[in-house]
Amino acid sequence: MQKVITLNEFIIHQQSEFPEARGSFSCLLHHIGIAAKKVNREVNKAGLVDILGRVGCENIQGEEQQKLDVFANEAFMTELQASGECCGVASEENEDATIFNEGLCRNAKYIVCMDPLDGSSNIDVNVSVGTIFSIYRRKSPIGTPAILEDFLQKGSEMVAAGYIMYGSSTMLVYTVGRGVYGFTLDPSLGEFCLSHPDMKMSATGKIYSINEGNYEKFPVGIKQYIKYCQVKDEQTNRPYTSRYIGSLVADFHRNLLKGGVFMYPPTDSHPTGKLRLLYECNPMSFIAEQAGGQAFGQDGRILDIEPRSIHQRVPFYVGSYDMVAKVMEFLHKAE
Ligand code: P6P
């Protein structure tokens, strides 16, 4: 019988590769896994209990909060605080960062930026949704309350990034800067089991993902790139296929496995882009780069952007290395 490697076994084994590690990061990741299982349980029965629909208030983004959004935010906040290894969390669901200022947490060395339930507008129609997280070492002195500067770090400072996709199966995918690992939840064991030990994004692919409903407002270069995708050219395997789920984790995960490019350019309703730098674009960019892909904003590499605010939005182009390079070529040529 084939040996199953659980997430906890993998984390402990990986810790042994970092001689200076004292188990803090392993403990933090373990608690993220617990929160993911709690959210998975609720997402899987969302249609059965009174957890669907609106909770009657709005989040910082002005979006009506779904009950699952609130549940997911609370589940991750509880586990991150319980780990004792996190001194603060910047969440899509909260206007300001949540600081854990008592007990063990005050001496914790990590902060987390997260989107506890991304794509939540898809919950009612049973489309895959996800959690996205990124982990940084705090900049402020240990033993003091975390401050805003701890959260406004460039993506290149990230210690780890990952996402959980609650889909036909539930997967946790993460990187610590040494490749990308995928774990699939085995409900019969209640464990995330290593299923994708070394995830790589092909240099090119046939899938482009973009909400073409915004076509009229796209930058000229993006309009030209979309037409390029649609023109027949056997040498470059075109026309490509358009696939857009409207849930970043699901669109990204498909492109990670099959190759492809995801684009969210500036639009009329979101002139600086819709996706948030800290807890959507940065973590997905770190994972993409670690899997051999790349990720750009309007003016360069996403991970080089100096954040100005927790909920800052940026244009986002991420995926297969050669496909993202082609998008940037069209954008710069059009300029
Ligand atoms: P649109 C979901 O609301 C989200 O934040 C991402 O998960 C997704 O990629 C994007 O917005 C979809 O936006 O404007 O195409 O519906």
Side-chain angles (χ1 to χ4, degrees), residues 16 20 23 62 64 80 85 117 156 191 208 218 226 264 270:
S16 64
E20 74 287 358
E64 272 201 84
L80 290 170
E85 303 297 352
L117 203 64
S156 53
E191 291 285 0
Y208 71 100
F218 284 157
I226 290 172
Y264 208 107
H270 293 99

Side-chain angles (χ1 to χ4, degrees), residues 3 37 62 72 101 117 145 147 154 199 222 233 241 247 250 287 311 326 334:
K3 168 83 178 77
K37 287 189 251 186
N101 194 16
L117 203 64
I147 56 176
K154 286 199 298 189
M199 301 183 83
I222 295 298
D233 178 297
T241 298
S247 181
I287 293 166
H311 302 292
K326 183 58 81 174

Side-chain angles (χ1 to χ4, degrees), residues 136 153-159 282 301-305:
Y136 295 81
Q153 299 184 52
K154 286 199 298 189
S156 53
E157 298 293 314
M158 233 179 296
V159 171
N282 269 340
R301 183 175 174 245
I302 286 281
L303 297 182
D304 291 336
I305 297 176

Side-chain angles (χ1 to χ4, degrees), residues 118-119 121 211 244 246-248 262 264 274-276 280:
D118 179 74
S121 55
N211 182 342
Y244 191 75
S247 181
L248 174 61
F262 173 91
Y264 208 107
K274 176 181 183 184
L275 300 178
R276 278 55 59 101
E280 289 173 324

Side-chain angles (χ1 to χ4, degrees), residues 320-332:
S320 293
Y321 194 92
D322 295 349
M323 297 182 85
V324 172
K326 183 58 81 174
V327 173
M328 300 322 288
E329 186 187 308
F330 273 92
L331 271 174
H332 295 151

Side-chain angles (χ1 to χ4, degrees), residues 281 284-285 288-289 293-297 300-303 316-319 324:
C281 302
M284 292 318 220
S285 301
E289 289 194 0
Q294 58 178 339
F296 277 79
R301 183 175 174 245
I302 286 281
L303 297 182
F316 190 39
Y317 309 103
V318 62
V324 172

